[in-house]
Amino acid sequence: MSEKLKVPTMAEYMAEGKQPEILFWVGSAGSYDDRAKKISRAFVKVLHKANVDFAVLGTEESNTGDVAKRAGNEFLFQMQAMTNIEILNAYEIKRIVTACPHSYNTLKNEYPQLGGVYEVLHHTQFIEELMSSGRLKLKSDSTLNGKRITFHDPCYLGRANEVYEAPRNLLKSLGVDLVEMKRNRSTALCCGAGGAQMFKEPEKGDKDINVLRTEDALKTNPSIIATGCPYCNTMMTDGVKAKERESDIKVFDIVEIIANSEEL
Amino acid sequence: MQFIPNILFAIALILGIGFFAKNVKKLIRNIKLGQDVDVSDNKSQRWKNMTMIALGQSKMVKRPIAGVLHVIVYVGFVIINIEVLEIIIDGLFGTHRLFSKMGTLYGVLIGTFEVLAALVFVSVVIFWVRRNVIKLQRFWKSEMKGWPKNDGNFILYFEMVLMTLFLVMNATDVHFQDMNSGNVISQYIAPLFSGLAESTLHIIERSAWWLHILGILVFLNYLYYSKHLHILLAFPNTYYGKVNPKGQLNNLEAVTNEVKMMMDPNADPFAAPEEGAEDEVPAKFGASDVQDLNWVQLLNAYTCTECGRCTSECPANQTGKKLSPRKIMMDTRDRLEEVGKNIDANGGEFKDDGKQLLGDYISTEELWACTTCNACTEACPVSIDPLSIIIEMRRYLVMEQSAAPMELNNMMTNIENNGAPWPYNQMDRLNWANEE
Ligand code: SF4
Ligand code: SF4
C-alpha cells in the first residue's frame, strides 16, 4: 500500500505567501535512512491528526553538520551551518521541530553563534505541547495498555540538553507500563552511535556498545524498546538482532508508537 | 636557649609555606601556557556551580557510599584545620593551648575536632580497603599503575597518621586530660599510656605536636605533585567549568571568518587583511600539544583527582576500548608538567623536545573511540570536561593533518557533495514522503 503523504515545503508556502506554524527539520537520517524514514512519516501523520500547519525544507534542507563537527571538521560544519542558516533566515523560520536529537542539539545550541537563532523543539516536546493544549487527543483504550516498554535516553536529548521527561510523559499518557533501565536519564548508557561512530567501525574492544546497552534494556523484560532518535533506533535494533530477540522485542520511536496506537 | 623551639618552628613554617608558594607560582605559570578563553559570562551561574559542586559536594553524593565518606573527610579536614591556627600561635609564641582560655567553648571545639578526627580515620580506612582489598575496578585500570596508584594510597596513609597524631597529642596532654572537657575520644586513648611517667608523656605529647604540624606542612607541599591538588583547585575549576548545555561544542571563531570569506561572493580574496586581523588567525586549528589547549582545560588537568568516575561511565571504556577519559586528563597533566620542567631547564623558554601530547601520550585510537556521549562530564565530581580535549585533538587530526579514519573521510565527502553523510542525491531528499 503506497499512500502519498501530504508534506508541504517551505517553497510552496512561500508561493502562497503563507507562513507555517512550525518547520519540521527532517534531518539526513529521517530523509534517507530506510528505518528512519518511517519515523518521519509517523511524525507527519501525527502532525496531520493534530491539524498542525507545518512545512519542510525538502530539497533545500542539507545536513546540519553535527557529525562533521564531532569528527573534528569545523570547516565542513560551519559551511553546512551557514548554508542552512541562509535558507532558514530567508524563510524567516521561528520555530523548528525535529525528530533527531543530533539536529536538535546542533540547531538549538550551535547555530546561534553563526547567526541562526530559532526556537527548537524535539518532536516529543512538541507532541507533549499539542496534548496539553488539547490539540492532540489520544485514545484511552489503546492496545498498548499495560505493555512493558522501556525508554532509552538519547545522549543528545538527555545529558546534552536535559530533556528527560517529555518522552516519558508521552509514553505514560498512552497507558503503557513504563519500566526504567537501571541506568536511565543522566546516567543512561550511550547506544554507541554518537560522535560520528555511526559512520565507522568501532575501535578494537571486547564488545559493541549497542549490545551492552541492549542488554541493559533486556533486563527490564520489555516488549518494546522506545527511543527518540533515528541513530539510537538503528543501534538498538541491531542490538536486539545480535541478541536474537527480534521476534519478541520491537524497537520503535515514540512517535511511531503513538501513530500505531492511533492506527494512523 | 628557651626560644629555640619558637625559632625552629618559625623556620619550619617559613620553609613550608615558602616552598608551597613557589609551587603555586609554577602551577599558575603552567596553566597560563594555555590559550586564552573568555569565561567572564554567566557569573551568577558560575558562583552557584562552585557553591553547589565544590563546597556542597553535590556531585560526590551521586555515589552515596564514596560520597558520604568523602564529605566526612572533607568536612573533617577543613574543620580540624582550625586547630592548626592554635598550633601556629602556640608554636610561634611558646604558649600552650592558648585558646583553652575560652573555657567551655574550647571543650566543645576540641570535642568536635576529636570526633571528626576519629570519623576521618575510619573513613580513610574504608577508602583504603575499597582501593586495596575490594579492589574497585576503577582504581585498577591500566592508567592507575605506578605513581598514580601509590599517590592514592600515600594520601590515605598521610591522613591516617595526621589524625592519629592529633588524637595521641590530646591523649598524652596531661593538663588537657585533667581539664576533662573536649577529650571525648582521647580519654579512651589515654589509658594506653597510663603506665608512663609524666615527663615521658610530655615528650610523647611534644613529639606528636611537632610531627602533626610538620606533617601538615609536608602535606601542603605534597599537593603539587599529587592528585590531591583538587582540594584547592576544585573551587576555581567548578567556577570556570562549562555553563552551556553539555551538548554544545564551542565555535571556532577563526574558522567562521574563513568560511564567511569563502561563502561571500563579494569578498575580495586579495584584499589586505584588516589591521590586527593577522594575529587573530591561530597558528593551527585544534590541538596537538598542551599549549594549544585553553587554560581552563589545563586547569582541568591539574584538578583531576583520578577518581575514575568518568572512565567507569564511559561506554567506550566499558566495552574494552583503549579510551579512558581519566587517562586523557592524566596525560594532559603529565605532558604539561614535562613542558613546565623543560621551560625551567631552558631559562624560561620552551625548547622543542620532539614530543607532543598527540601520539606520545594520547593515541589516535583513543581519540576516535569517543561517542561524545558526555557520560564523563556528567560523572565528574569537579566539572572536568575530557570531551573538549578529545574534540580539540580530533580537530587537529582532521583540519591540520587530514588524518581522519577513511570511513569518516568518505562520510565527510558525501556531506560536502550531497548534503548527507551517505551517497544519495540531494534532489531525492523528500522522497520519503512518497514511500511506505
Ligand atoms: S564523551 Fe567520550 S570519553 Fe566521555 S564518556 Fe562518552 S565516549 Fe567516553
Ligand atoms: S576527570 Fe573527573 S571524574 Fe574523571 S578521574 Fe578526573 S576527577 Fe574523576
Side-chain angles (χ1 to χ4, degrees), chain B residues 303-311 326 329 376 379-382 384 386:
Chain B
T303 308
C304 176
T305 79
E306 299 166 17
C307 68
R309 288 182 182 213
C310 52
T311 295
R326 166 173 58 189
M329 301 318 299
C376 51
C380 182
V382 286
I384 287 169

Side-chain angles (χ1 to χ4, degrees), chain A residues 1-9 24-34 37-38 40-41 44-45 56-65 67-80 82-83 86 105 108-110 113-114 155-156 159-162 164 183 186-190 192-209 212 231, chain B residues 62 244-263 285 312-322 364-379 387 390-399 404-409 411-436:
Chain A
M1 186 185 77
S2 177
E3 146 204 25
K4 194 166 159 48
L5 269 183
K6 198 170 158 280
V7 185
T9 62
F24 169 29
W25 183 274
V26 187
S28 294
S31 303
Y32 294 114
D33 180 87
D34 282 335
K37 283 193 267 192
K38 294 195 176 136
S40 305
R41 293 174 63 87
V44 166
K45 288 175 188 168
V56 298
L57 286 178
T59 53
E60 290 183 289
E61 184 187 287
S62 190
N63 185 276
T64 56
V67 261
K69 189 170 175 95
R70 272 137 195 96
N73 196 337
E74 186 74 8
F75 271 102
L76 182 53
F77 162 70
Q78 293 200 11
M79 302 250 282
Q80 288 301 115
M82 285 189 204
T83 314
E86 217 167 280
N105 177 69
K108 176 172 165 286
N109 298 322
E110 292 167 351
Q113 294 105 306
L114 299 169
C155 301
Y156 275 89
R159 269 190 300 274
N161 289 292
E162 294 177 28
Y164 298 117
R183 325 185 227 200
S186 68
T187 56
L189 183 75
C190 174
Q197 299 299 335
M198 184 75 190
F199 302 95
K200 60 184 258 302
E201 284 303 311
E203 273 58 35
K204 212 164 91 330
D206 47 37
K207 194 175 214 166
D208 281 334
I209 296 173
L212 184 62
Y231 293 135
Chain B
K62 290 266 159 75
N244 294 327
K246 284 201 161 58
Q248 179 179 338
L249 297 183
N250 68 330
N251 189 58
L252 278 193
E253 214 63 57
V255 171
T256 311
N257 297 338
E258 291 202 18
V259 171
K260 275 198 178 134
M261 281 279 286
M262 269 155 57
M263 292 185 54
F285 295 113
S312 74
E313 300 278 329
C314 173
N317 194 275
Q318 286 177 55
T319 51
K321 285 29 170 220
K322 264 200 186 146
T364 52
E365 182 180 342
E366 291 162 69
L367 295 173
W368 291 116
C370 175
T371 72
T372 70
C373 73
N374 271 301
C376 51
T377 60
E378 177 75 35
L387 173 57
I390 294 171
I391 291 293
E392 221 45 79
M393 296 181 81
R394 282 187 178 185
R395 283 174 175 165
Y396 177 82
L397 282 172
V398 171
M399 292 192 285
M406 209 239 305
E407 302 134 292
L408 292 190
N409 278 333
M411 176 271 288
M412 292 189 283
T413 310
N414 284 328
I415 292 181
E416 253 168 72
N417 296 337
N418 331 312
W422 303 282
Y424 295 118
N425 194 325
Q426 170 82 42
M427 291 332 274
D428 294 339
R429 208 173 168 99
L430 195 49
N431 289 4
W432 59 270
N434 307 319
E435 301 165 3
E436 181 73 327

Side-chain angles (χ1 to χ4, degrees), chain B residues 270-335:
Chain B
F270 303 109
E274 279 172 51
E275 203 63 41
E278 204 69 46
D279 34 74
E280 271 174 36
V281 178
K284 60 184 176 197
F285 295 113
S288 60
D289 209 348
V290 284
Q291 298 98 316
D292 307 325
L293 296 170
N294 69 45
W295 66 263
V296 175
Q297 291 169 315
L298 301 185
L299 172 66
N300 275 189
Y302 274 120
T303 308
C304 176
T305 79
E306 299 166 17
C307 68
R309 288 182 182 213
C310 52
T311 295
S312 74
E313 300 278 329
C314 173
N317 194 275
Q318 286 177 55
T319 51
K321 285 29 170 220
K322 264 200 186 146
L323 173 63
S324 160
R326 166 173 58 189
K327 178 176 173 291
I328 300 286
M329 301 318 299
M330 293 168 69
D331 286 342
T332 305
R333 178 173 176 171
D334 288 348
R335 173 61 183 159

Side-chain angles (χ1 to χ4, degrees), chain A residues 102 152-155 191 193 227-237 251:
Chain A
H102 297 266
H152 163 74
D153 288 276
C155 301
C191 72
T227 68
C229 169
Y231 293 135
C232 296
N233 196 308
T234 303
M235 287 312 229
M236 298 306 279
T237 305
V251 181

